[in-house]
Amino acid sequence: MKFTTNEIKLLLEASYDKEMYNVLQFYIDESVSNERVKCYTMDDTNDVVVTHRGSADLQDWMDNSDWFRINTLKKSKTFKMHQRQHKIIVSKYGAGNIIVMGHSRGGLYATQLYKQHLANQLITYNKPINLFDIVKDRFKKNKQDENSTAVRTSNDLVS
């Protein structure tokens, strides 16, 4: 599915909001959404958009520090929270219908869940990189996945 820049922006902004609400033509499914992970359906399609918010509390920032220094994303308390909620959504809608999005640390979660085949399409916005990513990219070039979109802006130090 193709998204406009504004749709991506508004969906990712809503991922940080504690309140649950519809975004444009995307309807929140409150039964499988929470403060960290939001699930949206649309009329006339089986596509489901799942957004993962980035860092917003002390636990997130503590996990960020560990991830940056020792690359511990999958072991972090916050990733496990996101993964658990995402799997609930997969059980309701099926991984093949899910478009996963995330901003910053949420982009890391979205990427990992996509790699675990828990989504069909991936969109990240300013996903951070750490020293392990820099070294890995230096020696191993990955081919571009046609179902994956990485949006980066300038002046974002961690991206």
Side-chain angles (χ1 to χ4, degrees), residues 5 11 13 16 19 28-30 33 36 39 74 77 80 103 118 123 125 133 147 152 154-155:
T5 304
L11 285 163
E13 283 176 354
Y16 285 89
E19 301 298 319
I28 189 82
D29 181 345
E30 292 186 35
S33 297
R36 293 178 167 274
C39 176
K74 291 188 279 186
K77 182 177 180 179
K80 290 176 183 176
H103 166 253
L118 296 173
I123 299 172
Y125 184 80
D133 295 322
N147 290 328
R152 294 197 179 279
S154 58
N155 300 324

Side-chain angles (χ1 to χ4, degrees), residues 102-105 107 124-128 150-154 156 158-159:
H103 166 253
S104 193
R105 186 171 178 88
T124 62
Y125 184 80
N126 284 345
K127 180 178 71 171
V151 179
R152 294 197 179 279
T153 59
S154 58
D156 187 334
V158 295
S159 299

Side-chain angles (χ1 to χ4, degrees), residues 13-132:
E13 283 176 354
S15 74
Y16 285 89
D17 203 330
K18 291 183 182 190
E19 301 298 319
M20 293 189 211
Y21 51 86
N22 299 332
V23 176
L24 303 172
Q25 74 274 17
F26 304 95
Y27 304 103
I28 189 82
D29 181 345
E30 292 186 35
S31 72
V32 291
S33 297
N34 64 25
E35 283 184 19
R36 293 178 167 274
V37 181
K38 304 242 174 32
C39 176
Y40 299 91
T41 61
M42 295 163 278
D43 289 337
D44 302 322
T45 182
N46 291 329
D47 290 334
V48 175
V49 176
V50 179
T51 61
H52 291 265
R53 74 149 209 233
S55 302
D57 61 26
L58 181 60
Q59 183 66 54
D60 291 324
W61 288 104
M62 289 181 346
D63 287 349
N64 285 345
S65 173
D66 288 344
W67 169 78
F68 188 75
R69 290 181 298 110
I70 55 177
N71 206 32
T72 58
L73 179 73
K74 291 188 279 186
K75 294 179 182 179
S76 73
K77 182 177 180 179
T78 52
F79 174 74
K80 290 176 183 176
M81 288 182 219
H82 282 255
Q83 183 181 44
R84 187 172 34 255
Q85 193 65 34
H86 191 90
K87 285 182 176 180
I88 291 168
I89 297 167
V90 168
S91 70
K92 182 171 183 176
Y93 292 105
N97 297 317
I98 293 178
I99 302 157
V100 63
M101 291 184 182
H103 166 253
S104 193
R105 186 171 178 88
L108 291 175
Y109 299 148
T111 300
Q112 186 60 46
L113 296 164
Y114 178 73
K115 287 179 180 178
Q116 294 174 355
H117 306 289
L118 296 173
N120 187 44
Q121 185 178 346
L122 168 67
I123 299 172
T124 62
Y125 184 80
N126 284 345
K127 180 178 71 171
I129 58 172
N130 64 14
L131 299 174
F132 296 89

